[in-house]
Structure formats: C-alpha cells, structure tokens
C-alpha cells in the first residue's frame, strides 16, 4: 500500500519505520524544514522498551537514557506520598528516563536509513477527500493517511468534528540541566505541596549526567511567571526543595524554561475513510502516568501488524483498521481513564483531592494487591481486558 504519515514525532517516526519494514511504500510529511522534538524529558516504560526492541532500536536508546529504579514523591514537610519501585527483574525491571531529542535522534536516524520518502517543510492543513486522500507533492491519492501530529493535531479538528480535546488548565515548565554530582540519578523524584505546587526531577542520561526539571503551572499563569523576577520563582523552589540549588544555579533566564500544555483527547472512532489517527492525536492524556511515548510506539507496531500483506482494497483495509482499533482500545482506554482521574489529585487549586492523595496513596503503594496493581500500571501492563498487556507476536 501507499501510506502517507503526517508528523515526525515519536508516533510518526516509529510508524514510518514499522510500516516500511512490512513492505509498504511510506512517505513522511513534516511541517518543519528540520524535524525537531518538543519538550525536555520523558519516561520510557517497559512496554515502550519492548516496542523499541522489536524495532531493533532498544540498545542505542538505553545507551542514551538513564535507568529509573523507582518513583518517589514527598511533601515539602517530608511526608511520603508515593514510593513505587519497578519489579527490578524480567521485562519490567526498570523505566528509562531520556531526553526527547535523544529518542528522536535514534528514531530519525533509523527512518533516514529506511525506504521512507521524507517531505519536509510541508504543512498539511486539510485533506479534501478522506475517501481518496491526495496530499500536496504526491502525484496520486494514497491508500491511507496516518495522522501523527500529537495531541494538538489541527487535522483532527477538521476531519473528526466530533472529537473532544480540551486543554488541561494545568501545564508545566521544563528544562534539561546537568547533574554533575549525580545527586539525582536512579529515581524520578517529586516534591508536592497540595495540588498547586509540584516540582519533579527526572534523570535523562548524557555525559555528564543530565536531568529534566519540571514545575507544574497553570496555563493562565505563564505570563505572570515570565513577568516576575526569576529570583522569586527560585526562592519558592528552594523553600520547598533546598537540594535543587546546584540545578537552579544553571537557570539565569525565564526563556530557558519551556512551557508544555496537554489535552485530554476523546474520540469514538480513530478512522474516517482512509485517514487514521495514532499516538497522542488519537488518545492524548496528561503526563502523570508517563505513558504517551510508550502508547505511540505500541500503536506503530500494532498498525504495521494489522496492515501486513494488505494491498489497499477498501473492504480489507476497513477491516484491518477496525481490527487495529479493537486491539489498541482496551489498553489506551485504561490509561486515558486513569490519567483523567489521577490528574486532579496532582494539579488543582482545590484541597480535597490532594489531601486524600497525601493520606492514602503512600499506604496503597505498600499493600500487596494495590501495590502490585500500581506497579503494573506504571509498567504499562494494565488494560480493560482479562489479561495483562503483552506485545502481540510478530
């Protein structure tokens, strides 16, 4: 089949690679002249690592990232809110913190070496006929368009008018910093104060070791943050977490911190005619569970599996896209719902949910049944199905 992919992020690059390897003629369309990743750090869970292994890319990604053994969160007063370790063995041994640019670099290099036609500096604003999609620069309609533009995908709004994708009122500021003394390696650490203050540090690999620092912030407060003296923000951070001083010494300007926004994407169908949404464009969530990149990688592999051997005949393609959605929905639906319910406990102006979080989340981590469920959720294994999620056979 002739398949056009729009967007060169994690979902688009991994889909281009997986689909080209199953014999399809793939073109990848990106609005920027030079594709680039957005954001500072992400957490690759065991399921995402398995997907990268299937693509033959796990070794360079592990080399570029940092092993994460556990997630820990405390209040500024020292009360433990969360202490969740990976299994430490087998396929769920650890998470992998990595800079988005490092993951992008590995995927981009693999795609450039694959039989994929790259069309850069080409913004696709609309698709006139989803039943026979013709993209600018192509001589004839393609069999399938895969939209992988991320949670803020403009094409989703135009082609899927019933989609709901409200912006989360809370976002975050991100920055990558050197951890020259390796003081913050091995764990994702967070300090919480109610629902209005969340500071996190995620190791992301590199030499010297680097970390991504994130600061939770309402979207409507970004301008006020930039207008206030940077020292005011620095003093607030240090009042809650004094050990961050060596990291904060590297921040001298507001613009070093990059704002990130998130959407809760909900659709009844991911396909319309010969157009399909994947990754965050189909099921974007808040970053609380650290699953976005992992779900995108799994989408790419499952799509390639469902389309293997197809020639583009309409009935067969419709059936394959329906099978793809049936296979992926139980997994993505679980993480969308879990993120939707969890986010207000960590990012809110209210007091009730953060109070319940502080009182009960820590003890739940230690109980056998709930602790196991939380570890499996963290690893990306839970779905709305009788069994844990495993990558389907090749």
């Amino acid at each position: 089949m002739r398949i056009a992919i729009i967007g060169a992020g994690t979902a688009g690059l991994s889909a281009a690679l997986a689909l080209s390897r199953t014999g399809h003629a793939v073109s990848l369309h990106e609005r920027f002249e030079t594709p680039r990743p957005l954001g500072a750090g992400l957490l690759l869970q065991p399921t995402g690592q398995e997907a990268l292994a299937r693509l033959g890319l796990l070794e360079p990604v592990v080399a570029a990232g940092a092993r994460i053994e556990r997630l820990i969160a405390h209040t500024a007063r020292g009360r433990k809110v969360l202490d969740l370790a990976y299994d430490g063995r087998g396929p769920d041994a650890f998470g992998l913190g990595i800079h988005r640019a490092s993951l992008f670099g590995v995927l981009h290099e693999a795609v450039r070496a694959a039989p994929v036609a790259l069309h850069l500096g080409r913004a696709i604003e609309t698709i006139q006929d989803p039943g026979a999609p013709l993209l600018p620069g192509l001589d004839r309609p393609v069999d399938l368009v895969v939209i992988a533009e991320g949670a803020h995908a403009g094409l989703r709004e135009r082609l899927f008018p019933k989609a709901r994708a409200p912006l989360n009122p809370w976002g975050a500021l991100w920055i990558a910093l050197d951890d020259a003394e390796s003081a913050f390696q091995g764990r994702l650490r967070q300090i919480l104060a109610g629902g209005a203050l969340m500071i996190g540090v995620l190791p992301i690999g590199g030499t010297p070791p680097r970390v991504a620092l994130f600061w939770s912030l309402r979207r409507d407060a970004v301008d006020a943050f930039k207008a206030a003296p940077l020292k005011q923000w620095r003093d607030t951070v240090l009042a809650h977490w004094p050990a961050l001083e060596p990291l904060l010494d590297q921040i001298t300007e507001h613009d070093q911190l990059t704002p990130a926004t998130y959407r809760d994407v909900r659709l009844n169908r991911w396909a319309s005619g010969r157009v399909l949404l994947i990754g965050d464009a189909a099921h974007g969530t808040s970053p609380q569970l650290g699953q976005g990149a992992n779900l995108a990688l799994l989408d790419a592999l499952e799509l390639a599996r469902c389309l293997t051997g197809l020639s583009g005949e309409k009935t067969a393609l419709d059936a394959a896209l329906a099978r793809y959605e049936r296979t992926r929905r139980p997994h993505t639906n679980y993480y969308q719902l879990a993120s939707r319910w969890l986010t207000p406990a960590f990012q809110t102006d209210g007091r009730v949910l953060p109070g319940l979080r502080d009182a009960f989340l820590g003890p739940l981590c230690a109980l056998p049944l709930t602790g196991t469920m939380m570890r499996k959720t963290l690893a990306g294994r839970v779905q709305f199905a009788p069994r844990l999620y495993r990558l389907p056979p090749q």
Side-chain angles (χ1 to χ4, degrees):
M1 289 198 304
R2 298 177 75 240
I3 301 175
I5 300 172
I6 301 175
T10 300
L13 290 169
S14 54
L17 190 59
L19 289 165
S20 68
R21 289 180 177 178
T22 56
H24 298 295
V26 178
S27 59
L28 181 59
H29 304 254
E30 169 58 47
R31 68 174 58 247
F32 296 115
E33 293 285 350
T34 302
R36 59 182 188 268
L38 300 176
L42 59 84
L43 186 55
L44 284 170
Q45 305 295 2
T47 49
Q49 295 173 48
E50 287 181 353
L52 287 164
R54 188 75 62 88
L55 291 170
L57 301 177
L58 181 58
E59 185 174 340
V61 171
V62 169
R67 185 177 174 122
I68 306 298
E69 306 287 351
R70 65 196 311 133
L71 279 63
I72 296 180
H74 290 87
T75 68
R77 296 181 177 180
R79 181 189 180 96
K80 186 180 292 185
V81 177
L82 177 72
D83 187 353
L84 200 60
Y86 288 89
D87 280 351
R89 62 189 187 281
D92 295 345
F94 61 92
L96 189 71
I98 190 167
H99 198 293
R100 286 181 181 273
S102 299
L103 177 61
F104 172 87
V106 172
L107 289 169
H108 188 238
E109 183 179 349
V111 167
R112 287 177 61 87
V116 174
L118 293 172
H119 299 274
L120 305 178
R122 181 173 296 171
I124 311 295
E125 302 296 341
T126 190
I127 297 173
Q128 296 296 336
D129 182 2
L134 177 63
L135 272 59
L138 301 184
D139 58 355
R140 57 192 173 93
V142 296
D143 296 305
L144 178 66
V145 172
V146 178
I147 298 174
E149 294 181 299
H152 305 301
L155 284 171
R156 181 188 58 231
E157 296 182 9
R158 299 179 183 92
L159 300 176
F160 296 80
K162 293 184 179 180
R164 290 184 293 162
L167 273 169
N168 192 313
W170 288 82
L173 299 175
W174 286 85
I175 185 171
L177 301 165
D178 289 340
D179 179 23
E181 300 300 323
S182 297
F184 297 95
Q185 298 303 300
R187 301 176 177 185
L188 190 164
R189 296 170 170 87
Q190 295 181 85
I191 293 292
L192 311 170
L197 187 145
M198 178 171 66
I199 315 164
V201 177
L202 169 70
I204 55 174
T207 305
R210 308 203 82 202
V211 296
L213 182 146
F214 57 92
W215 168 265
S216 182
L217 189 69
R218 285 186 62 93
R219 288 187 296 109
D220 56 14
V222 172
D223 289 343
F225 162 79
K226 292 181 176 181
L230 188 62
K231 184 179 184 301
Q232 179 178 315
W233 172 76
R234 174 191 167 96
D235 289 346
T236 300
V237 175
L238 290 179
H240 289 86
W241 199 347
L244 293 184
E245 187 169 10
L247 300 181
L248 298 188
D249 285 345
Q250 302 171 52
I251 306 174
T252 58
E253 299 178 0
H254 292 86
D255 288 344
Q256 289 177 259
L257 293 134
T258 302
T261 56
Y262 309 101
R263 292 183 185 270
D264 181 12
V265 181
R266 311 183 198 189
L267 293 99
N268 292 328
R269 293 281 304 278
W270 292 339
S272 175
R274 290 175 176 261
V275 176
L276 175 72
L277 298 165
I278 68 168
D280 280 350
H283 44 70
T285 69
S286 78
Q288 296 297 338
L289 290 173
Q291 296 291 336
N294 305 277
L295 295 176
L297 289 162
L298 298 170
D299 284 356
L301 289 181
E302 181 59 22
L303 181 60
R305 189 177 77 91
C306 289
L307 298 184
T308 298
L310 291 190
S311 62
E313 190 274 325
K314 183 180 187 307
T315 301
L317 178 58
D318 289 347
L321 295 181
R323 183 168 64 253
Y324 163 78
E325 188 158 347
R326 283 197 310 272
T327 304
R328 291 297 298 134
R329 280 281 189 181
H331 194 220
T332 61
N333 282 355
Y334 173 82
Y335 283 98
Q336 282 195 284
L337 185 62
S339 295
R340 194 171 298 143
W341 282 96
L342 187 63
T343 297
F346 284 85
Q347 292 180 308
T348 181
D349 291 317
R351 297 182 179 181
V352 174
L353 288 178
L356 293 172
R357 173 202 70 196
D358 293 351
F360 295 108
L361 191 57
L364 288 173
C365 292
L367 293 175
L369 183 60
T370 54
T372 297
M373 181 68 171
M374 292 167 73
R375 283 190 291 274
K376 294 301 183 185
T377 294
L378 175 65
R381 297 295 179 194
V382 185
Q383 59 180 339
F384 287 131
R387 61 190 183 282
L388 294 175
Y389 178 82
R390 292 285 185 270
L391 216 60
Q394 288 180 297

